[in-house]
Amino acid sequence: MISRCQITLVAAVVTAVTLVAGCVGPPYVKPEVDTPSAFKEGSPDAYVGADEGAWQPAQPQDAALKGKWWEVFGEPELNALEEQLNINNQNIAQFFENFMAAREQVGIARASYFPTLTAAPSATRTRSSGALGTGGVNGGTTTGGTSTGTSTGNAASPTSSSGSTFNTFQMPFDVSWEPDLFGRIRNTVREARYAAQVSAADLENERLTEQASLAEFYFQLRGQDALQDLYNETLDAQRKSLQLTRVLMETGIDSPEDVAQAEVTLANTEATAVGIATNRAIYEHAIATLIGKPASDFSMPVKALSTPVPTVPVDIPSKLLQRRPDIAAAERTMAQANALIGVETAAYFPTLDLTASGGFEAAAITSLFTAPARFWSLGASASQTILDGGLRRATVRQYTAQFNADAAAYRQSVLTAFQQVEDYIATVRVLSQQIERQKAAVAAARRFLDFATSRYQTGIDPYLNVITAQTTLLSDQQTEVTLRVNEMTAAVQLIQALGGGWDISQLPSAAEVTR
């Protein structure tokens, strides 16, 4: 169909194009960021004068956060819930499908590397008109090859014809290819690859966020169970106090006013205790949604909070840049913006289109694939924008500014990561100290209640002193439970700020997102 000479010509053109092809655009260089040598709140100096037994972070060599970081809390029920979340959480599923779509964008961009081949076979049957004929001219003579005659009459009448019917069979093929002379396609592929890596990092960041939310809700719910136990114990004690007050009133030691005070105190405590169920239900419903179950079909047994806060390994700050998926996403976003600069810079240079067509055409299908039925054509065209009113220059500047903005966002992500780690190290440390002091306050409030109750029973003090002591003890116990819940959630937030068990080696490479 196409001779060897033409094939040689095409090969020569392709070779020449390959030799002159280049890649334009700035090389990507990751910006430097200032990294402290150690976390201030995690250094031993931060714990000078702290209470004995106060929380301190583990050294990296003592422990390390793994993929299933929630297992450091030693809660089998939490472990089971986290496994369900990783499978059934719909937000994670959404980010996963976004990553799959981003991977396919790489394939779409890579398709431009290759020629496009199309075929358009056709078969037609045509009948010509029988009313078409040829007219003659009268009186004309020709001398020396030149016509000297003139028209002496009208054109002759059309000759009679019934027309003709014929078939046309075609099997054409068209090939077109735009060589990547100046790296427009290569930069487009790179941009798609980096975008897929951004999507992969976003997926891991969303996974970590959902895992941390589940752990926080779990400990909040267990905190509500602890409060419920506390109120149940308080109600039992207040009911006994009310019963004692009634007995003392019947014996003439107490007055009806003391009984009324005891009844009011009991009623107020009962009302508050009922309200605890609201918060517990909300946390339970939130957990159900996170693990992909309808809230109506999910429930958790009551279990008071008893988990001690674990020691969390805090590595050097420079390692944080390798462990946070949001920082990885910000860095890959910069690389993506840099590739876009190359794509737009290539618009300054000409483009070359190579085309070829060929096939078979015949009046009978039996002779369609014979040598005389062949036809072909080769062509090349180049285009170059001469005047665009500054469009290309403005576009390159736009993407350059976008790269600079992404670089600033990357640096801000790093600064925010350092801040969050420092915040949560300090929070867990201070809360552990508060809890130790609060335990002492609870013990003192319990002694106060015992003392007030004893004096009331012997008729020395009025019942009002007992109510005051009960209220003080309940308030201190509530504060202790709240502090313990806050300590557990702060530990979860610290682990999240450290990146959980993820590190940059788990981010798929450019080659992996292509596969």
Side-chain angles (χ1 to χ4, degrees), residues 244-254:
L244 175 61
T245 305
R246 287 171 176 167
V247 171
L248 293 177
M249 183 189 69
E250 292 174 355
T251 60
I253 298 177
D254 259 354

Side-chain angles (χ1 to χ4, degrees), residues 229-287:
D229 283 351
L230 171 61
Y231 270 88
N232 290 340
E233 294 175 1
T234 302
L235 287 171
D236 288 341
Q238 289 181 353
R239 291 189 182 103
K240 292 177 181 178
S241 296
L242 176 59
Q243 184 179 5
L244 175 61
T245 305
R246 287 171 176 167
V247 171
L248 293 177
M249 183 189 69
E250 292 174 355
T251 60
I253 298 177
D254 259 354
S255 65
E257 181 181 2
D258 293 327
V259 174
Q261 288 177 333
E263 290 174 342
V264 169
T265 302
L266 177 61
N268 287 336
T269 305
E270 287 176 335
T272 304
V274 171
I276 293 175
T278 300
N279 289 335
R280 189 189 193 279
I282 290 174
Y283 289 124
E284 188 177 67
H285 301 162
I287 290 173

Side-chain angles (χ1 to χ4, degrees), residues 204-214 216 290 496:
E204 295 306 321
N205 191 57
E206 179 64 21
R207 193 192 309 275
L208 177 59
T209 300
E210 300 294 336
Q211 291 168 347
S213 296
L214 175 58
E216 290 181 35
L290 286 175
Q496 182 181 6

Side-chain angles (χ1 to χ4, degrees), residues 38 53 101 120 128 153 175 231 248 251 260 271 308 315 360 394 397 416 467 473:
S128 63
V175 180
Y231 270 88
L248 293 177
T251 60
D315 216 325
F360 301 91
R397 289 178 178 176
T416 301
I467 294 177
L473 176 60

Side-chain angles (χ1 to χ4, degrees), residues 221-230 280 301-305:
L221 183 141
R222 291 302 174 221
Q224 297 301 310
D225 290 344
L227 284 176
Q228 191 67 64
D229 283 351
L230 171 61
R280 189 189 193 279
V302 175
K303 177 185 174 183
L305 178 64

Side-chain angles (χ1 to χ4, degrees), residues 344-488:
E344 297 305 325
T345 303
Y348 279 106
F349 301 94
T351 60
L352 176 66
D353 290 312
L354 302 178
T355 59
S357 62
F360 301 91
E361 184 178 35
I365 194 169
T366 55
S367 58
L368 179 62
F369 296 103
T370 61
R374 295 178 302 173
F375 70 91
W376 59 267
S377 69
L378 296 174
S381 63
S383 63
Q384 169 67 48
T385 301
I386 298 175
L387 181 64
D388 62 1
L391 175 63
R392 289 170 295 182
R393 181 172 64 253
T395 304
V396 172
R397 289 178 178 176
Q398 173 194 348
Y399 284 104
T400 302
Q402 183 61 56
F403 172 82
N404 294 333
D406 291 335
Y410 169 73
R411 294 189 180 96
Q412 184 62 37
S413 297
V414 173
L415 292 173
T416 301
F418 291 151
Q419 175 194 347
Q420 289 175 344
V421 173
E422 296 282 8
D423 287 348
Y424 294 126
I425 293 175
T427 301
V428 178
R429 171 173 57 83
V430 172
L431 283 171
S432 69
Q433 297 176 25
Q434 282 185 278
I435 290 173
E436 293 301 316
R437 286 170 170 77
Q438 192 62 33
K439 288 179 179 178
V442 170
R446 196 180 300 278
R447 292 194 299 270
F448 175 39
L449 176 59
D450 293 341
F451 184 69
T453 302
S454 177
R455 290 176 63 87
Y456 166 69
Q457 290 174 345
T458 57
I460 298 175
D461 289 338
Y463 186 70
L464 182 60
N465 287 9
V466 176
I467 294 177
T468 301
Q470 288 177 335
T471 303
T472 301
L473 176 60
L474 178 59
S475 176
D476 287 343
Q477 289 174 321
Q478 281 183 294
T479 301
E480 182 184 1
V481 171
T482 301
L483 288 173
R484 292 186 63 238
V485 171
N486 291 344
E487 184 186 34
M488 297 303 294

